[in-house]
Amino acid sequence: MRIGVPKEIKNHEYRVGLVPSSVQELVHHGHQVMVQAGAGLGAGLSDADYLAAGAVIVDGADQIFAEAEMIVKVKEPLAEERAKLRPGQILFTYLHLAPDAAQTKDLIASGAICIAYETVTAANGSLPLLTPMSEVAGRLAPQVGAHALEKAQGGRGVLLGGVPGVPAAEVVILGGGVSGTHAATIAVGMGAQVTVVDRSADALKRLATQFGTSISTVFSTRSAIEELVRRADLLIGTVLVPGAAAPKLVTHDMVRTMKPGSVIVDVAIDQGGCVETSHATTHAAPTYVVDGVVHYCVANMPGAVARTSTFALNSVTLPFTLALANHGWKEALVRDVHLRNGLNVSEGHVTCEPVAEAHGLPYVSAETAIGL
């Protein structure tokens, strides 16, 4: 199979779809890999590294989209990239379609086979291709939140860990999944007072076992969220509903009750955000202020640590990339129900039910799309 790796063009996105070791594996299995010149530089990977692994370096993205049978990316294709997709071409990347009607419409029109990292599943019900980026984003959240709390950044001027005689900041984390757990790990390490909110009793028990008395756990109700949001110096939203738009757990009215200069980091912004006042930002302009509250809503947080993120992502995507290349997309999806769950759009049909529901579009099951 001819596999193409274009350079990411999203604002300040430095990750790359394949690392040289992944390229070498694909070449070893008889596939051709085309990499756009400079695609890996943001992650510290040179064209020479890719050449040594057996890749073909091409100058522009046009040739990659024109010739490759499968495109491997990191972030969702932007409008100019979507225009280059063609019928029958495989796109393997993060998509986050539920909050993005324009992208969904364009992918349907392209006739391409679009497989989303974030809805590929595992036998235990987890999302293995989303997990490493959730870990990175979770660990980044207290770090960027602490920075945003500094007075020069528009924050309250509060040190996350406090000092002797002065209380630490109150950090409230909505969601006790992968991102929430990793956010709690870093916030505790920075010395903050941490509360994690979740509606799963099992998640709360797991967090209590893992952290002991280092954090507080609270069962999620509207009343509990209202109270905790009002007290928070730093609010981190990590709520995820696989494939669907994130629920708006924090209303604008709740934001108005927050302390001036407090900070919201909405990690769920890729799926539309779990705070009503959130909208996606970029690393170039990461924050904005609503009612005196600083909002950090960067839609590609892991891109800030591109090298770590790229290698973490490749370690989980490579087996699926190999399966698609070795067997072709239909056979690969027939063989593996978990990869099949990643199929979001196929040859003009929406094959992910939460995406279809989000946009009021007809739904065709992945099984029907591949002829099972």
Coordinates of all heavy atoms in Angstrom, one line a residue, residues 28-87:
H28 N 9.2 -2.7 5.9 CA 9.5 -4.1 6.1 C 8.4 -5.0 5.6 O 8.7 -6.1 5.1 CB 9.8 -4.3 7.6 CG 10.1 -5.8 7.9 ND1 11.3 -6.4 7.5 CD2 9.3 -6.7 8.5 CE1 11.2 -7.7 7.9 NE2 10.0 -7.9 8.5
H29 N 7.2 -4.5 5.8 CA 6.0 -5.3 5.4 C 5.6 -5.1 3.9 O 4.6 -5.5 3.4 CB 4.8 -5.0 6.3 CG 4.9 -5.7 7.6 ND1 5.6 -5.2 8.6 CD2 4.3 -6.8 8.1 CE1 5.5 -6.0 9.7 NE2 4.7 -7.0 9.4
G30 N 6.5 -4.4 3.2 CA 6.3 -4.3 1.7 C 5.5 -3.0 1.3 O 5.2 -3.0 0.1
H31 N 5.3 -2.1 2.2 CA 4.6 -0.9 1.8 C 5.5 0.3 1.5 O 6.6 0.3 1.9 CB 3.6 -0.5 3.0 CG 2.8 -1.7 3.4 ND1 1.8 -2.2 2.6 CD2 2.8 -2.4 4.6 CE1 1.2 -3.2 3.3 NE2 1.8 -3.4 4.5
Q32 N 5.0 1.2 0.7 CA 5.7 2.4 0.4 C 5.2 3.6 1.3 O 4.0 3.7 1.4 CB 5.5 2.8 -1.1 CG 6.3 4.1 -1.5 CD 6.0 4.5 -2.9 OE1 5.1 4.1 -3.5 NE2 6.8 5.5 -3.4
V33 N 6.1 4.3 1.9 CA 5.7 5.4 2.7 C 6.2 6.7 2.2 O 7.5 6.9 2.0 CB 6.1 5.3 4.2 CG1 5.6 6.4 5.0 CG2 5.6 3.9 4.7
M34 N 5.4 7.7 1.9 CA 5.8 9.0 1.4 C 5.6 10.0 2.6 O 4.5 10.0 3.2 CB 4.9 9.5 0.2 CG 5.0 8.6 -1.0 SD 4.0 9.2 -2.3 CE 2.3 9.0 -1.7
V35 N 6.6 10.7 2.9 CA 6.6 11.7 4.0 C 6.9 13.1 3.4 O 7.8 13.3 2.6 CB 7.6 11.4 5.1 CG1 7.6 12.4 6.2 CG2 7.3 10.0 5.6
Q36 N 6.0 14.1 3.7 CA 6.3 15.4 3.2 C 7.5 16.0 3.9 O 7.8 15.8 5.1 CB 5.1 16.3 3.6 CG 5.2 17.7 3.0 CD 4.0 18.6 3.3 OE1 2.9 18.1 3.7 NE2 4.1 19.9 3.0
A37 N 8.3 16.7 3.1 CA 9.6 17.3 3.6 C 9.3 18.1 4.8 O 8.3 19.0 4.8 CB 10.2 18.1 2.5
G38 N 10.0 17.9 5.9 CA 9.9 18.7 7.1 C 8.7 18.3 8.0 O 8.5 19.0 9.0
A39 N 8.0 17.3 7.7 CA 6.8 16.9 8.5 C 7.2 16.6 9.9 O 6.4 16.8 10.8 CB 6.1 15.7 7.8
G40 N 8.4 16.0 10.1 CA 8.7 15.6 11.5 C 9.6 16.6 12.3 O 9.9 16.3 13.4
L41 N 9.9 17.7 11.7 CA 10.9 18.6 12.3 C 10.4 19.1 13.7 O 11.2 19.3 14.6 CB 11.2 19.8 11.4 CG 12.0 19.4 10.1 CD1 12.2 20.7 9.3 CD2 13.4 18.8 10.5
G42 N 9.1 19.4 13.8 CA 8.5 19.9 15.0 C 8.7 18.9 16.2 O 8.7 19.3 17.3
A43 N 8.8 17.6 15.9 CA 9.0 16.6 16.9 C 10.5 16.1 16.9 O 10.8 15.1 17.5 CB 8.1 15.4 16.6
G44 N 11.3 16.9 16.3 CA 12.8 16.6 16.4 C 13.2 15.4 15.4 O 14.2 14.8 15.7
L45 N 12.4 15.2 14.4 CA 12.7 14.1 13.4 C 13.0 14.7 12.0 O 12.2 15.4 11.4 CB 11.4 13.2 13.3 CG 11.0 12.6 14.7 CD1 9.6 12.0 14.5 CD2 12.0 11.6 15.1
S46 N 14.2 14.4 11.6 CA 14.7 15.0 10.3 C 14.3 14.2 9.1 O 13.9 13.0 9.2 CB 16.2 15.2 10.3 OG 16.8 13.9 10.3
D47 N 14.3 14.8 7.9 CA 14.1 14.1 6.7 C 15.1 12.9 6.5 O 14.7 11.9 6.0 CB 14.2 15.0 5.5 CG 13.0 16.0 5.4 OD1 12.0 15.9 6.2 OD2 13.1 17.0 4.6
A48 N 16.3 13.2 7.0 CA 17.3 12.1 6.9 C 16.9 10.9 7.7 O 17.2 9.8 7.3 CB 18.7 12.7 7.4
D49 N 16.3 11.2 8.9 CA 15.8 10.0 9.7 C 14.8 9.2 9.0 O 14.8 8.0 9.0 CB 15.2 10.6 11.0 CG 16.2 11.3 11.9 OD1 17.3 10.9 11.9 OD2 15.7 12.2 12.7
Y50 N 13.9 9.9 8.2 CA 12.9 9.2 7.5 C 13.5 8.4 6.3 O 13.1 7.3 6.0 CB 11.8 10.1 7.0 CG 10.9 10.5 8.2 CD1 11.0 11.7 8.8 CD2 9.9 9.6 8.6 CE1 10.1 12.1 9.9 CE2 9.0 10.0 9.6 CZ 9.1 11.2 10.3 OH 8.3 11.5 11.3
L51 N 14.4 9.1 5.6 CA 15.1 8.4 4.5 C 15.8 7.1 4.9 O 15.7 6.1 4.3 CB 16.1 9.4 3.8 CG 15.5 10.5 3.0 CD1 16.6 11.5 2.6 CD2 14.9 9.9 1.7
A52 N 16.5 7.2 6.1 CA 17.2 6.1 6.6 C 16.2 4.9 6.9 O 16.6 3.7 6.9 CB 18.0 6.5 7.8
A53 N 15.0 5.3 7.3 CA 14.0 4.3 7.6 C 13.3 3.7 6.4 O 12.5 2.8 6.5 CB 12.9 4.9 8.5
G54 N 13.6 4.3 5.2 CA 13.0 3.7 4.0 C 11.9 4.6 3.4 O 11.3 4.1 2.4
A55 N 11.6 5.7 3.9 CA 10.6 6.6 3.4 C 11.0 7.3 2.1 O 12.2 7.5 1.8 CB 10.2 7.6 4.4
V56 N 10.1 7.8 1.3 CA 10.3 8.6 0.2 C 9.9 10.0 0.6 O 8.8 10.2 1.1 CB 9.5 8.2 -1.1 CG1 9.7 9.2 -2.2 CG2 9.9 6.8 -1.5
I57 N 10.8 11.0 0.5 CA 10.5 12.4 0.9 C 10.0 13.1 -0.3 O 10.6 13.1 -1.4 CB 11.7 13.1 1.4 CG1 12.3 12.3 2.6 CG2 11.4 14.5 1.8 CD1 11.4 12.2 3.8
V58 N 8.8 13.8 -0.2 CA 8.2 14.5 -1.3 C 8.0 16.0 -0.8 O 7.9 16.3 0.4 CB 6.8 14.0 -1.7 CG1 7.0 12.5 -2.3 CG2 5.8 14.0 -0.6
D59 N 8.0 16.9 -1.8 CA 8.1 18.3 -1.4 C 6.8 18.9 -0.8 O 6.8 19.6 0.1 CB 8.5 19.2 -2.6 CG 9.9 19.0 -3.0 OD1 10.7 18.7 -2.1 OD2 10.3 19.2 -4.2
G60 N 5.7 18.5 -1.4 CA 4.4 19.1 -0.9 C 3.3 18.1 -0.6 O 3.4 16.9 -0.9
A61 N 2.3 18.6 0.0 CA 1.2 17.7 0.4 C 0.3 17.3 -0.8 O -0.3 16.2 -0.7 CB 0.3 18.5 1.4
D62 N 0.3 18.1 -1.8 CA -0.5 17.7 -3.0 C -0.2 16.4 -3.5 O -1.1 15.6 -3.8 CB -0.4 18.8 -4.1 CG -1.1 20.1 -3.8 OD1 -1.8 20.1 -2.8 OD2 -0.8 21.1 -4.5
Q63 N 1.1 16.1 -3.7 CA 1.5 14.8 -4.2 C 1.1 13.6 -3.3 O 0.7 12.6 -3.7 CB 3.0 14.8 -4.4 CG 3.5 13.4 -5.0 CD 5.0 13.4 -5.3 OE1 5.7 14.5 -5.2 NE2 5.6 12.3 -5.6
I64 N 1.2 13.9 -2.0 CA 0.8 12.8 -1.0 C -0.7 12.5 -1.1 O -1.1 11.4 -1.2 CB 1.2 13.3 0.4 CG1 2.7 13.2 0.6 CG2 0.5 12.5 1.5 CD1 3.3 13.7 1.9
F65 N -1.5 13.6 -1.1 CA -2.9 13.3 -1.2 C -3.3 12.7 -2.5 O -4.3 12.0 -2.6 CB -3.7 14.6 -0.9 CG -3.8 15.0 0.5 CD1 -2.9 15.8 1.2 CD2 -4.9 14.5 1.3 CE1 -3.0 16.1 2.5 CE2 -5.0 14.8 2.6 CZ -4.1 15.6 3.3
A66 N -2.6 13.1 -3.6 CA -2.9 12.6 -4.9 C -2.6 11.1 -5.1 O -3.2 10.4 -5.8 CB -2.2 13.4 -6.0
E67 N -1.4 10.7 -4.5 CA -0.9 9.4 -4.8 C -1.1 8.3 -3.7 O -1.2 7.1 -3.9 CB 0.6 9.5 -5.1 CG 0.9 10.3 -6.3 CD 2.4 10.4 -6.6 OE1 3.2 9.6 -5.9 OE2 2.8 11.2 -7.5
A68 N -1.3 8.8 -2.4 CA -1.4 7.8 -1.3 C -2.7 7.1 -1.3 O -3.8 7.8 -1.5 CB -1.1 8.5 0.0
E69 N -2.7 5.8 -1.0 CA -4.0 5.1 -0.8 C -4.5 5.3 0.7 O -5.7 5.2 0.9 CB -3.7 3.6 -1.0 CG -3.3 3.3 -2.5 CD -2.8 1.9 -2.6 OE1 -3.6 1.0 -2.8 OE2 -1.5 1.8 -2.5
M70 N -3.5 5.5 1.6 CA -3.9 5.8 3.0 C -3.1 7.0 3.5 O -1.9 7.1 3.3 CB -3.7 4.6 3.9 CG -3.9 4.9 5.4 SD -4.1 3.4 6.4 CE -2.5 2.7 6.3
I71 N -3.9 8.0 4.1 CA -3.2 9.2 4.7 C -3.2 8.9 6.2 O -4.3 8.7 6.8 CB -4.1 10.4 4.4 CG1 -4.1 10.7 2.9 CG2 -3.5 11.6 5.1 CD1 -2.8 11.1 2.2
V72 N -2.1 9.0 6.8 CA -1.9 8.9 8.3 C -1.5 10.3 8.8 O -0.5 10.8 8.5 CB -0.9 7.9 8.7 CG1 -0.8 7.8 10.2 CG2 -1.3 6.5 8.1
K73 N -2.4 10.8 9.7 CA -2.2 12.2 10.3 C -2.3 12.1 11.8 O -2.4 11.0 12.4 CB -3.2 13.2 9.7 CG -2.9 13.7 8.3 CD -4.0 14.6 7.7 CE -4.6 15.6 8.7 NZ -3.6 16.6 9.2
V74 N -2.3 13.3 12.4 CA -2.6 13.4 13.8 C -3.9 14.1 14.0 O -4.8 13.6 14.6 CB -1.4 14.1 14.5 CG1 -1.7 14.3 16.0 CG2 -0.1 13.4 14.3
K75 N -4.0 15.3 13.5 CA -5.2 16.1 13.7 C -6.1 16.0 12.5 O -5.8 15.6 11.5 CB -4.8 17.6 13.9 CG -4.1 17.9 15.3 CD -5.0 17.4 16.4 CE -6.2 18.2 16.6 NZ -7.1 17.7 17.8
E76 N -7.4 16.4 12.8 CA -8.4 16.4 11.8 C -7.9 17.2 10.6 O -7.3 18.2 10.7 CB -9.7 16.9 12.3 CG -9.8 18.4 12.5 CD -9.1 18.9 13.8 OE1 -8.7 18.1 14.6 OE2 -8.9 20.1 14.0
P77 N -8.3 16.8 9.4 CA -7.9 17.6 8.2 C -8.6 18.9 8.1 O -9.9 19.0 8.4 CB -8.4 16.7 7.0 CG -9.5 15.9 7.6 CD -9.1 15.6 9.0
L78 N -7.9 20.0 7.9 CA -8.5 21.3 7.7 C -9.2 21.4 6.3 O -9.0 20.5 5.5 CB -7.5 22.4 7.9 CG -6.8 22.4 9.2 CD1 -5.9 23.6 9.3 CD2 -7.7 22.3 10.4
A79 N -9.9 22.4 6.1 CA -10.7 22.5 4.8 C -9.9 22.3 3.6 O -10.3 21.6 2.6 CB -11.4 23.9 4.8
E80 N -8.7 22.9 3.5 CA -7.8 22.8 2.3 C -7.3 21.3 2.1 O -7.1 20.9 1.0 CB -6.7 23.7 2.4 CG -5.7 23.5 3.5 CD -4.6 24.6 3.5 OE1 -4.9 25.6 4.2 OE2 -3.5 24.4 2.9
E81 N -7.2 20.6 3.3 CA -6.8 19.2 3.2 C -8.0 18.3 2.8 O -7.8 17.4 2.0 CB -6.2 18.7 4.5 CG -4.9 19.4 4.9 CD -4.5 19.1 6.3 OE1 -5.3 19.2 7.2 OE2 -3.4 18.6 6.5
R82 N -9.1 18.6 3.3 CA -10.3 17.9 3.0 C -10.7 17.9 1.5 O -11.2 17.0 0.9 CB -11.5 18.3 3.8 CG -11.3 18.2 5.3 CD -12.6 18.3 6.1 NE -13.2 19.6 6.1 CZ -13.1 20.6 7.0 NH1 -12.2 20.5 8.0 NH2 -13.8 21.7 6.9
A83 N -10.4 19.1 0.9 CA -10.6 19.2 -0.5 C -9.8 18.3 -1.4 O -10.1 18.1 -2.6 CB -10.4 20.7 -0.9
K84 N -8.7 17.8 -0.8 CA -7.7 16.9 -1.6 C -8.1 15.5 -1.4 O -7.5 14.6 -2.1 CB -6.3 17.2 -1.1 CG -5.8 18.6 -1.3 CD -4.5 18.9 -0.7 CE -4.1 20.3 -0.8 NZ -2.8 20.6 -0.1
L85 N -8.9 15.1 -0.5 CA -9.3 13.7 -0.3 C -10.1 13.2 -1.5 O -10.8 14.0 -2.1 CB -10.1 13.5 1.0 CG -9.4 13.8 2.3 CD1 -10.4 13.9 3.4 CD2 -8.3 12.7 2.6
R86 N -10.0 11.9 -1.8 CA -10.7 11.4 -2.9 C -11.4 10.1 -2.5 O -11.1 9.5 -1.5 CB -9.7 11.1 -4.1 CG -8.7 10.1 -3.8 CD -7.7 9.9 -5.0 NE -6.9 8.7 -4.8 CZ -5.7 8.7 -4.2 NH1 -5.2 9.8 -3.7 NH2 -5.1 7.6 -4.1
P87 N -12.4 9.7 -3.4 CA -13.2 8.5 -3.1 C -12.3 7.3 -2.9 O -11.4 7.1 -3.7 CB -14.1 8.4 -4.3 CG -14.3 9.8 -4.8 CD -12.9 10.4 -4.5

